[in-house]
């Protein structure tokens, strides 16, 4: 395990709770990458606990939305961890700011490894929460890892679909994909010649006057005191230009209709991204004999980032999450 220089100060985008104990932990995935995580333990509890691993949004860090989810669920009696994906945040992995449908799914499985061997956790009561792009990866992990008894995908993106088809499937053609792939492969040579990887840029700032609403929505979270963090890719320089190219032809939801464990998909009804969850849910229950424990919950009047931090309107249905995990991690 690589020794990481972890920040000991509280540098989250949300207040520290006095109902839980917080600590930093590390674990290794099967690629030898050391993953950094925040652990949240409910105070004044005994015995082995049900546990939840949380990650996302895509391009965020554990000090943002995933940490808020983890801390809140710990307040409700679960031992939780919020982790930084490989190549990002405080986790190791070189080169930096790369993403991989395989390695990032493995990050969730490595988190399950860690929790399964933790002496404070009941290994038969482990769940996961994936936010935004990590919602799709959570479904992929649930389809692969039989130890995951319950999974939540919140305000999810299917990163393979958006990379291959563009936003709202507006680039869903062989010609559009070819043009995009040609540009990415040309960029590979530019990076090699320059000796470094070119960043794609995080959330645009300042906002152009004609920015679509979903860009304004991201800006309102990642570029303001509400959600800005110095280690967040989306808050700063973003992923490498070629960082996500392998998502273009490696669908992550191929076997989602073989998931036997419980799944809850939640999304804001007014979110630009809601079509990802609607379609993922329909595909997940199609010809799936284990569909009775699957649910799609749409939050009225909520947009995409409202499920990052509540959006000032308590949009995250934590009561529902508590009921879901209590029912399925027993």
């Amino acid at each position: 395990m690589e020794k990481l220089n972890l920040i000991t100060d509280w540098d989250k985008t949300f207040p520290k709770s006095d109902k839980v104990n917080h600590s930093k932990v590390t674990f290794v995935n099967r690629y030898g990458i050391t993953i950094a995580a925040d652990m949240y333990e409910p105070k004044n509890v005994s015995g082995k606990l049900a546990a939840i691993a949380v990650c996302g949004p895509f391009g965020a860090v554990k000090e943002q939305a995933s940490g808020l989810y983890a801390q809140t669920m710990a307040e409700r009696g679960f031992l939780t961890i919020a982790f930084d994906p490989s190549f990002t945040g405080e986790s190791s992995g070189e080169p930096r700011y790369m993403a991989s449908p395989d390695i990032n799914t493995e990050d969730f499985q490595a988190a399950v490894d860690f929790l399964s061997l933790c002496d404070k956790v009941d290994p038969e009561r482990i769940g996961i929460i994936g936010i935004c792009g990590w919602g799709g990866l959570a479904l992929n992990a649930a389809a692969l890892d039989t130890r995951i008894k319950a999974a939540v995908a919140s305000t999810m993106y299917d990163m393979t679909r958006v990379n291959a088809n563009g936003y709202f499937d507006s680039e869903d053609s062989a010609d559009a994909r070819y043009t995009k792939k040609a540009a990415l492969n040309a960029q590979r040579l530019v990076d090699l010649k320059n000796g470094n990887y070119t960043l794609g840029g995080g959330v645009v700032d300042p906002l152009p006057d004609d920015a679509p609403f979903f860009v304004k929505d991201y800006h309102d979270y990642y570029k303001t005191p509400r959600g800005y963090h110095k280690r967040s890719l989306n808050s700063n320089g973003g992923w490498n230009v070629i960082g996500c190219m392998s998502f273009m032809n490696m669908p992550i939801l191929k076997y989602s209709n073989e998931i036997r464990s419980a799944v809850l998909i939640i999304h804001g009804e007014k979110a630009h991204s809601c079509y990802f969850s609607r379609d993922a849910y329909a595909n997940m229950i199609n010809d799936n004999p284990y569909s009775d424990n699957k649910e799609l919950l749409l939050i009225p009047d909520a947009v995409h980032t409202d499920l990052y931090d509540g959006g000032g309107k308590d949009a995250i249905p934590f009561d529902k999450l508590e009921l879901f995990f209590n029912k399925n991690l027993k």
Side-chain angles (χ1 to χ4, degrees), residues 235-264:
S235 291
N236 297 283
W239 298 94
N240 297 325
V241 172
I242 66 168
C244 302
M245 70 179 298
S246 61
F247 281 88
M248 288 192 67
N249 66 339
M250 294 185 185
I252 56 175
L253 301 182
K254 172 71 174 177
Y255 297 105
S256 64
N257 68 342
E258 296 183 6
I259 299 174
R260 300 187 180 190
S261 55
V263 176
L264 170 64

Side-chain angles (χ1 to χ4, degrees), residues 7 51 73 75 77-78 81 93 106 148 150 167 169 186 230 234 242 277 284 308 319:
I7 302 298
M73 296 308 293
E75 289 178 331
F78 302 90
I81 57 172
E106 164 62 20
I148 297 171
Y167 282 98
D169 297 327
K230 63 183 180 181
N234 294 339
I242 66 168
S277 283
M284 181 174 58
Y308 285 8
D319 288 345

